[in-house]
Amino acid sequence: MYHHTEKCSNLVMFPLTLLFVTLIFPYTNILSQWTLQNYDTNFTLTNINFLDQNIGFACGEKYYPATNSGRGVIYKTVNGGDNWNIAFNDTNFDIKGTCFYDSDTCIAYGGYYLSQSKIIKTTNGGINWFYVTSFEITGLVNSIKYFGNLAYAACATGIFRSTNNGSNWLRILPEFGEYGGSYFINAQTGWCSYDYGNLYKTTNAGINWQLTNLPGYIYAHEIFFTDINNGYVILDTTSFVSKILKTTNGGASWSVMNPGVTNHFWSIYFVNNNTGYISGSGGNIIKTTDAGASWASSFTGGFNETFRNVYFFDPYKGFTCGGKSIILKTINGGFIGITPISTDIPNSFMLSQNYPNPFNPNTKIKFDIPQPTFVKLIVYDML
């Protein structure tokens, strides 16, 4: 995408006002910000997951209040998220997420409300899917994580473990109730959230659990750890305004972070110890590059939808998904400032007149460049 429009804000230009602004940025950072990859009003996508740089699944649900029913969907990409096609569609249950076992084998999980669990599986890369019998799991499945033949499932009726690749499951937490978020950093160590701000931790594959209470919050629905000590949780309050908590001692104690915005957050993803993203309602994605000490907005292109999940390969390339089957992609971490307006490659360089001119408080400048290069724009009046 080589056609671009640069928007200069917070500037005042009149015919006799002197102004000199220099903007320098590498072309590799302005190819895109967040670009729309998929749109379909039929579903709300709740999870996006990749096996490698090319193959990925995005899944979700559709609820019909009139009939008190729903259906699930799985989209698949084989070209790094540039194109998405429906790989599975079911009218009986919501699909909450997917988990890859290898390049051909993947399971998808979910259910209906709190009572019914569903697990489906593909062994040919998503071409065909079949239902997996899971009599031991009796509630909606919110997450599943595999470590070889060992697997963990967080469900509406407890935490379950399988030691035979999901063929059989055993409840490993004695307390019954809805478990939302879970995160296992390895086969031995993991954290699971429960109602009323309770957070459980195991260091011996679920044989024993240590309870930590997060007072003042009702539900920790998302957990992410960058290493054995540093982790984050998204917590909902009674007003459904989310709080972000961080631990530096493996979950023994937690401190509240200030994300800079008030929102109902849905998903958190860190690509390393310092750089992470959080997605939420109103098309809001925020980013940190200093381990949560400060947060800034990651530009989303103005989509006013709830982004339910976020996934990144590295600090720059990532995806988010949400309402109306939206899938967005960035290759520069949400760089703000340049808006691509075409995918055509120009034949030559061209710089258009800015508009409006004079301007207050902003102006737009359209330019075309025929090849990747550094771009420098200088804005000034004739004086």
Side-chain angles (χ1 to χ4, degrees), residues 321-339:
C321 63
K324 296 182 180 177
S325 300
I326 278 181
I327 299 176
L328 301 179
K329 176 182 179 180
T330 181
I331 60 172
N332 54 23
F335 177 83
I336 300 174
I338 302 297
T339 303

Side-chain angles (χ1 to χ4, degrees), residues 293-304:
S294 62
W295 296 83
S297 176
S298 177
F299 187 65
T300 61
F303 295 98
N304 188 26

Side-chain angles (χ1 to χ4, degrees), residues 69-72 89-93 131:
S69 61
R71 61 189 176 116
N89 198 346
D90 191 279
T91 60
N92 295 318
F93 73 103
Y131 289 92

Side-chain angles (χ1 to χ4, degrees), residues 103-356:
S103 58
D104 294 319
T105 306
C106 179
I107 63 168
Y109 48 83
Y112 188 65
Y113 278 122
L114 303 181
S115 59
Q116 184 185 76
S117 64
K118 289 286 186 178
I119 299 176
I120 59 174
K121 186 176 184 179
T122 179
T123 56
N124 57 8
I127 299 175
N128 304 107
W129 297 82
F130 58 90
Y131 289 92
V132 177
T133 302
S134 55
F135 294 114
E136 299 90 348
I137 299 177
T138 57
L140 175 70
V141 184
N142 289 310
S143 64
I144 292 180
K145 181 68 174 180
Y146 273 91
F147 297 94
N149 290 328
L150 184 65
Y152 298 94
C155 309
T157 57
I159 303 298
F160 296 80
R161 181 184 64 193
S162 173
T163 57
N164 56 7
N165 195 21
S167 297
N168 301 101
W169 297 87
L170 177 68
R171 191 193 309 273
I172 57 176
L173 264 179
E175 186 172 9
F176 288 77
E178 184 177 2
Y179 289 83
S182 67
Y183 194 90
F184 284 83
I185 201 164
N186 54 48
Q188 300 295 314
T189 304
W191 298 261
C192 301
S193 63
Y194 177 70
D195 279 344
Y196 309 110
N198 293 327
L199 192 70
Y200 288 91
K201 178 184 179 181
T202 182
T203 56
N204 56 5
I207 298 174
N208 302 107
W209 295 86
Q210 180 182 359
L211 173 63
T212 299
N213 185 260
L214 306 171
Y217 308 102
I218 62 171
Y219 193 53
H221 71 260
E222 188 78 2
I223 307 171
F224 197 99
F225 274 74
T226 59
D227 55 43
I228 204 72
N229 293 313
N230 295 283
Y232 305 81
V233 296
I234 297 178
L235 304 166
D236 284 338
T237 66
T238 54
S239 60
F240 293 100
V241 175
S242 301
K243 300 292 184 180
I244 312 299
L245 267 64
K246 179 181 180 179
T247 181
T248 57
N249 54 15
S253 60
W254 297 83
S255 59
V256 179
M257 296 190 305
N258 180 14
V261 293
T262 300
N263 205 314
H264 186 194
F265 295 115
W266 283 90
S267 178
I268 184 169
Y269 196 98
F270 273 77
V271 294
N272 52 46
N273 284 336
N274 293 316
T275 303
Y277 294 81
I278 295 177
S279 64
S281 60
N284 194 357
I285 300 176
I286 58 176
K287 174 182 179 180
T288 182
T289 57
D290 52 16
S294 62
W295 296 83
S297 176
S298 177
F299 187 65
T300 61
F303 295 98
N304 188 26
E305 296 293 332
T306 295
F307 295 140
R308 300 283 293 273
N309 197 234
V310 61
Y311 182 98
F312 271 78
F313 290 102
D314 54 49
Y316 306 104
K317 183 180 179 181
F319 294 83
T320 189
C321 63
K324 296 182 180 177
S325 300
I326 278 181
I327 299 176
L328 301 179
K329 176 182 179 180
T330 181
I331 60 172
N332 54 23
F335 177 83
I336 300 174
I338 302 297
T339 303
I341 60 175
S342 174
T343 58
D344 296 332
I345 301 176
N347 294 322
S348 62
F349 167 82
M350 185 183 72
L351 177 65
S352 300
Q353 173 67 47
N354 69 301
Y355 62 96

